[in-house]
Amino acid sequence: YYEKRPYLSEMHRDRMLAEIDVAAEIGLETFVIDTGWYSRTGEWEVDRGRFPGLLQDVRKRLEGYGMRLGLWFDPVVAAKTSRPVVEHPEWCQTRHGKIVERGPIWETEEAVGMCLCTDWLEYFVLQIERLHREVG
């Protein structure tokens, strides 16, 4: 990003493994992967193209250093074509009867706002729990 490349050009397993090594050298306890680890906001599935090991290799490298994995989430957005938006438009934030558009999250798909005062909150928490089981 700093060198005028797309932000997500470096969001992949090999780069994260290299950054984990540096993070361990400076004594970090938790390594948080920013936006782009997922295929689509709202579904929160690991992007198999960027992370073919589904973050297991990343987690193992972190554990080798005694570090923990953190993942970026935005609890109030979901991609326009995500299952929650398509199947439950009533979970979307609205203003004057129209769904609130949020635009793309960096270089990912266009997103809409999601309302935490709906069943979206329970769905979101279930996704976090699932990912905790799957990738720690």
Side-chain angles (χ1 to χ4, degrees):
Y1 181 72
Y2 177 77
E3 296 172 348
K4 308 271 189 267
R5 291 187 303 223
Y7 178 78
L8 294 179
S9 68
E10 298 298 317
M11 182 56 66
H12 54 80
R13 177 192 59 211
D14 293 342
R15 177 60 185 234
M16 293 303 104
L17 292 174
E19 290 200 12
I20 288 167
D21 294 339
V22 173
E25 285 181 29
I26 62 174
L28 294 182
E29 296 173 1
T30 302
F31 183 84
V32 179
I33 300 179
D34 197 6
T35 188
W37 61 265
Y38 51 84
S39 300
R40 186 177 287 133
T41 56
E43 291 179 6
W44 309 115
E45 300 282 342
V46 177
D47 186 313
R48 292 173 182 266
R50 289 179 173 29
F51 298 95
L54 298 176
L55 298 176
Q56 294 304 319
D57 42 1
V58 169
R59 185 183 52 79
K60 286 178 183 171
R61 174 79 56 97
L62 288 166
E63 287 175 351
Y65 288 120
M67 298 169 65
R68 296 176 55 106
L69 172 63
L71 297 175
W72 174 91
F73 290 91
D74 186 337
V76 293
V77 297
K80 287 182 175 182
T81 63
S82 66
R83 285 184 310 273
V85 171
V86 171
E87 294 174 8
H88 298 282
E90 71 276 12
W91 294 354
C92 296
Q93 293 175 352
T94 59
R95 184 176 184 136
H96 306 297
K98 294 183 181 177
I99 292 177
V100 176
E101 302 273 335
R102 291 296 184 95
I105 307 300
W106 284 95
E107 293 140 8
T108 64
E109 184 181 336
E110 296 269 338
V112 298
M114 301 301 285
C115 183
L116 295 174
C117 297
T118 66
D119 289 338
W120 161 254
L121 178 59
E122 181 179 346
Y123 171 86
F124 180 76
V125 169
L126 290 173
Q127 300 314 301
I128 301 274
E129 290 173 348
R130 174 186 54 77
L131 280 160
H132 185 274
R133 285 189 310 275
E134 290 175 4
V135 299

